[in-house]
Amino acid sequence: MLPREVLDARFPEALGGMVAGSTTRWDDVPSSDLDLFVLLAGRPAPMRSTERVGGRLVEFFVHTEESFAGFVDRERQLRRSPLLHMCATGLIIRDDDGRLARLQDSARARWAAGPAPLTAGELEDRRYPLTALLDDLAEEAHPVDRAAPAAAVFTDTGDLALAARGRWTGTGRWLTRRLREADPDLADDLAAGLPAAVEGDATTLLSCGRAELDRLGGPLDSGYERHA
């Protein structure tokens, strides 16, 4: 079934819908799932549902205008918003009254503006755990125990680099995709440093993390304090 047919069959009451994800980038494969953003006037939105339709896995992201705004506001506090990106980059396949196009225009503007700048406190809250992780990685000799801090250094360094540059971050493969857009050299160094660290040579990964800390005020351990 075509995306529009899937949308109309599953949510005939929809005000509009758009395709997002790999389908819009033309890099989907037969096993790729289909991401559909659905705009409703009310219930059952908000909801998320994964269903198999005609042999293909379909993920429905179903919202009203109000629930979309609320979810995006919460996600933006984490400096990553898959829902905002989905709406900003999706391909509209149905829009009964033009409101989905208006929602997309707003999403594109908010996505282009980026997340709010890091505060001094937020920066410290990121420097402190990365400092500890780098120490753990540098000291760990056991190959199995080294894998976890190596992966954490990879993730935290990339996440800090993006946040400090005022860029959206992400999880999983979206972290590396965002990082390649913002700093290709750092992305390449982290990608090379992670497997090397797991195999026993953490030099490159440690250098990435330490360089990012130095750029943002240096390591932070003694003197860090927070109150509940």
Side-chain angles (χ1 to χ4, degrees):
M1 296 177 69
L2 295 174
R4 173 64 188 263
E5 294 174 329
V6 174
L7 172 67
D8 291 346
R10 181 64 177 82
F11 292 99
E13 77 279 25
L15 300 173
M18 67 172 67
V19 178
S22 59
T23 303
T24 63
R25 299 190 302 271
W26 302 102
D27 61 1
D28 57 331
V29 296
S31 60
S32 297
D33 57 4
L34 177 65
D35 294 336
L36 281 179
F37 177 86
V38 183
L39 185 65
L40 298 183
R43 294 294 183 184
M47 64 170 285
R48 179 173 175 176
S49 173
T50 301
E51 305 171 24
R52 193 166 293 280
V53 180
R56 186 174 188 182
L57 207 60
V58 181
E59 289 193 70
F60 295 97
F61 301 82
V62 187
H63 284 277
T64 64
E65 291 180 271
E66 293 75 16
S67 71
F68 173 81
F71 271 74
V72 167
D73 285 343
R74 287 192 290 274
E75 289 180 344
R76 289 181 75 243
Q77 296 177 19
L78 302 174
R79 302 184 187 284
R80 58 178 182 266
S81 180
L83 189 59
L84 183 64
H85 181 259
M86 177 183 295
C87 190
T89 61
L91 176 64
I92 294 177
I93 57 175
R94 176 178 165 186
D95 190 8
D96 291 355
D97 59 6
R99 73 178 69 187
L100 187 54
R102 294 191 294 272
L103 190 68
Q104 183 171 63
D105 287 342
S106 175
R108 286 173 172 169
R110 296 181 73 181
W111 183 261
L118 279 175
T119 66
E122 288 173 329
L123 181 56
E124 288 185 350
D125 288 344
R126 291 168 183 260
R127 289 167 54 208
Y128 179 74
L130 180 54
T131 298
L133 284 169
L134 290 168
D135 290 343
D136 290 345
L137 179 59
E139 296 167 358
E140 185 56 64
H142 194 284
V144 174
D145 294 340
R146 191 169 50 240
V153 166
F154 176 96
T155 300
D156 282 19
T157 299
D159 187 71
L160 175 59
L162 288 166
R165 288 161 175 76
R167 305 292 289 266
W168 294 103
T169 185
T171 59
R173 60 186 177 180
W174 283 105
L175 174 64
T176 52
R177 288 175 177 175
R178 301 270 181 265
L179 196 56
R180 284 200 303 270
E181 296 171 354
D183 192 330
D185 290 339
L186 178 56
D188 289 344
D189 288 343
L190 285 172
L194 177 57
V198 174
E199 292 299 322
D201 182 6
T203 304
T204 299
L205 195 56
L206 289 170
S207 294
C208 290
R210 288 166 177 166
E212 195 58 34
L213 285 178
D214 288 343
R215 198 180 71 83
L216 299 170
L220 180 61
D221 42 36
S222 177
Y224 176 80
E225 183 175 294
R226 286 292 181 270
H227 295 274

